[in-house]
Amino acid sequence: MTMSEKVARSATIFDVARLAGVSHQTVSRVINSHPSVKPETRARVEEAILQLRYQPSPAARSLVTKRSRTIGLITSDAADYGPSMVANQFSDAARAARYAVMTVTVPEAQPSAARDAVEALLRQNVEAIVIVVVDVAVADLANAVETNTPIVFVDARRSWDPRSTGIDQYNGARLAVRHLLGLGFDTVAHVSGPVRNPDAIERIRGWADELAGAGAPHGLRLDGDWSPASGYAAGIELPVTPGETAVFAANDQMALGLIAALRSRGFSVPRDVSVVGFDDVPEAAYFQPPLTTVHQNFAALGRATMDRVVALLDEGEEPLEPRLIGARLSIRDSTTAAVPVEH
């Protein structure tokens, strides 16, 4: 037996995929004459099959038809509203597409566990993995795992990545700040989320850029952790000039704590301080006062993420456009026009 004959007999579907520069799922679709493969891709795969003299096994021929129809979902173990809603809405979208979802939660304080979670899901033969990114390190660690299984990141910060989906946190933050500046405030303070969280990073960036674009002074930033308690702490620390102070809180829970702290100091919202939140939690309309906040369409994000998964499974080697879902402002009673005090 010659060396070339030995190589030909030992060639696998993964060898063909590597040579053709596609996923093994795409090779399997070519073998099974699946119509979703583009002609130029099909030709590249067929050339690799000829070059390697690959002989598909019955198992290889059944890779398309014998699918697990299971998607892995990695999310944080924290009970934060945003990630929880993303996970819930994605699971609903997956069920509507007749896929099961296998969820693994990663400790929020241990982003390194994301890589272990990816490997655990791969051992369960999932067809794709969705990661709700809550720490900037998570995506990098997940990317370090070598796999042909598609991975989709729910991470607005990765707007350049065709495997990403997200809600447009950056422009949502700009809407919040623009609303307050439009009410006549000279600048806007910000109570931010955790500084390693992608959503918090985008909201900080949007806040700063909207102020700079309007020629407004850079406002005070106070760091929070998404909790009402951190919003309360920020509200105790916040310098207030009644009628001239405006605050953009990076989520509704921190806005709730902030308002409680301002009340404890004898200030009224919105008479003394105007407050905007982010998320539009169901309770926001029932806060006292009802909260002006940035609305996130989590149902649309869940559908978009599932659409991205299906596209990667059907056309795994093809580039896709990144997908960001727009945010909108829900204006309620926690904001009002500035009342400059004559000094």
Side-chain angles (χ1 to χ4, degrees):
M1 180 186 296
T2 67
M3 181 60 70
S4 61
E5 288 172 333
K6 186 175 182 180
V7 169
R9 292 191 181 191
S10 62
T12 69
I13 193 171
F14 299 100
D15 297 324
V16 175
R18 277 191 291 271
L19 183 59
V22 300
S23 66
H24 71 270
Q25 294 98 330
T26 298
V27 176
S28 185
R29 291 184 186 92
V30 172
I31 293 168
N32 287 275
S33 302
H34 196 284
S36 69
V37 183
K38 294 186 176 181
E40 59 269 27
T41 302
R42 184 180 301 278
R44 203 161 68 242
V45 171
E46 289 173 344
E47 175 61 28
I49 289 172
L50 286 173
Q51 186 174 333
L52 293 172
R53 285 180 280 176
Y54 170 63
Q55 295 295 323
S57 66
R61 289 185 178 276
S62 68
L63 279 178
V64 168
T65 57
K66 293 185 177 179
R67 297 167 61 175
S68 69
R69 298 201 69 81
T70 301
I71 309 297
L73 174 65
I74 299 173
T75 188
S76 165
D77 64 351
D80 297 329
Y81 178 77
S84 299
M85 286 299 296
V86 173
N88 290 342
Q89 294 297 329
F90 171 74
S91 295
D92 287 348
R95 281 193 292 272
R98 295 180 299 178
Y99 279 83
V101 177
M102 185 177 295
T103 303
V104 177
T105 57
V106 173
E108 189 173 27
Q110 299 178 30
S112 60
R115 177 170 181 154
D116 295 336
V118 170
E119 291 175 343
L121 286 169
L122 291 174
R123 288 194 292 271
Q124 298 301 316
N125 195 35
V126 296
E127 291 191 37
I129 295 173
V130 172
I131 302 177
V132 181
V133 180
V134 297
D135 187 287
V136 293
V138 167
D140 294 336
L141 289 163
N143 270 330
V145 179
E146 292 186 7
T147 177
N148 287 320
T149 300
I151 297 179
V152 173
F153 300 95
V154 180
D155 180 356
R157 185 183 57 99
R158 298 173 66 89
S159 59
W160 49 268
D161 189 339
R163 298 169 302 161
S164 73
T165 63
I167 290 173
D168 193 344
Q169 311 291 331
Y170 173 78
N171 280 306
R174 295 197 72 155
L175 286 175
V177 177
R178 191 176 307 150
H179 170 66
L180 290 166
L181 294 177
L183 291 172
F185 292 97
D186 292 334
T187 190
V188 177
H190 182 43
V191 182
S192 77
V195 294
R196 291 182 57 83
N197 182 282
D199 289 352
I201 291 169
E202 288 298 281
R203 293 172 199 177
I204 291 169
R205 194 167 68 88
W207 161 71
D209 284 358
E210 187 64 27
L211 288 176
H218 192 75
L220 173 68
R221 187 181 120 198
L222 300 164
D223 291 336
D225 61 9
W226 299 136
S227 71
S230 68
Y232 189 93
I236 294 297
E237 185 178 345
L238 178 74
V240 173
T241 301
E244 298 184 29
T245 301
V247 186
F248 164 44
N251 79 340
D252 292 346
Q253 297 301 317
M254 291 192 298
L256 177 64
L258 173 75
I259 292 169
L262 291 171
R263 278 213 191 99
S264 76
R265 294 171 61 189
F267 297 117
S268 172
V269 175
R271 185 190 65 207
D272 298 319
V273 182
S274 282
V275 177
V276 177
F278 204 112
D279 281 342
D280 201 9
V281 300
E283 301 84 2
Y286 304 97
F287 283 9
Q288 197 54 251
L291 184 66
T292 296
T293 183
V294 178
H295 179 81
Q296 302 196 77
N297 191 337
F298 292 110
L301 177 59
R303 292 191 296 270
T305 303
M306 190 61 208
D307 288 347
R308 182 54 42 99
V309 168
V310 170
L312 287 169
L313 288 172
D314 287 346
E315 301 178 23
E317 76 287 359
E318 300 298 332
L320 298 165
E321 291 297 321
R323 179 68 187 273
L324 283 183
I325 305 297
R328 62 175 173 82
L329 189 67
S330 295
I331 300 175
R332 300 192 180 102
D333 298 339
S334 63
T335 55
T336 193
V339 183
V341 177
E342 292 186 9
H343 299 286

